[in-house]
Amino acid sequence: MPAKDELARRRHERLVDRLESMMRAALKPEYEGYYGQLILGADDLAEMGELKDVRRAAREAGRRLGWKTTTRLVGERLFVLDEREVPERIERLAGDAAAAAMDRFWDESRRPRLT
């Protein structure tokens, strides 16, 4: 029986490492580790194993990154989110970036399309 426990522990550690890597890669450097999120689709979840195990591993990976991690299942997607309080200067920076993205969208949507 101990060999089975060791196998499960190693599988869990690999999953935590993989999720941590994905979560770290999704971070924007300019936000200094805040506004972390990872969205796993149905295919990702099926490949990773049981939902309860993926959620547990995601919370552990988030702790490694200093996140206040929460997971939410919406439809067939698992959202892994950092819910820490964001410093005001980072919040302003993110707000400005979102406003600029919306401005670009509106500018592009008003341009005549060549077909």
Side-chain angles (χ1 to χ4, degrees), residues 31 34-35 85-97:
Y31 298 159
Y34 290 94
Y35 287 116
E85 187 72 27
V86 179
E88 189 175 323
R89 66 184 174 75
I90 304 280
E91 192 172 338
R92 258 194 321 274
L93 181 64
D96 291 347

Side-chain angles (χ1 to χ4, degrees), residues 7 12 28 35 49 54 68 70-71 73 78 80-81 87 89 92 97-98 107 115:
L7 180 62
H12 174 76
K28 293 185 177 183
Y35 287 116
V54 175
K68 180 181 175 188
T70 187
T71 62
L73 186 64
L78 180 67
V80 182
L81 307 168
R89 66 184 174 75
R92 258 194 321 274
D107 288 345
T115 55

Side-chain angles (χ1 to χ4, degrees), residues 64-87:
R64 289 181 180 181
L65 294 170
W67 292 14
K68 180 181 175 188
T69 310
T70 187
T71 62
R72 294 199 175 95
L73 186 64
V74 179
E76 294 184 353
R77 291 187 179 104
L78 180 67
F79 289 75
V80 182
L81 307 168
D82 176 9
E83 293 193 334
R84 289 179 294 166
E85 187 72 27
V86 179

Side-chain angles (χ1 to χ4, degrees), residues 4-17 48-49 53 57:
K4 188 174 183 179
D5 291 344
E6 179 62 20
L7 180 62
R9 187 192 63 74
R10 285 192 311 220
R11 188 177 303 129
H12 174 76
E13 280 300 314
R14 279 195 307 273
L15 182 56
V16 171
D17 291 343
M48 291 181 181
D53 297 331

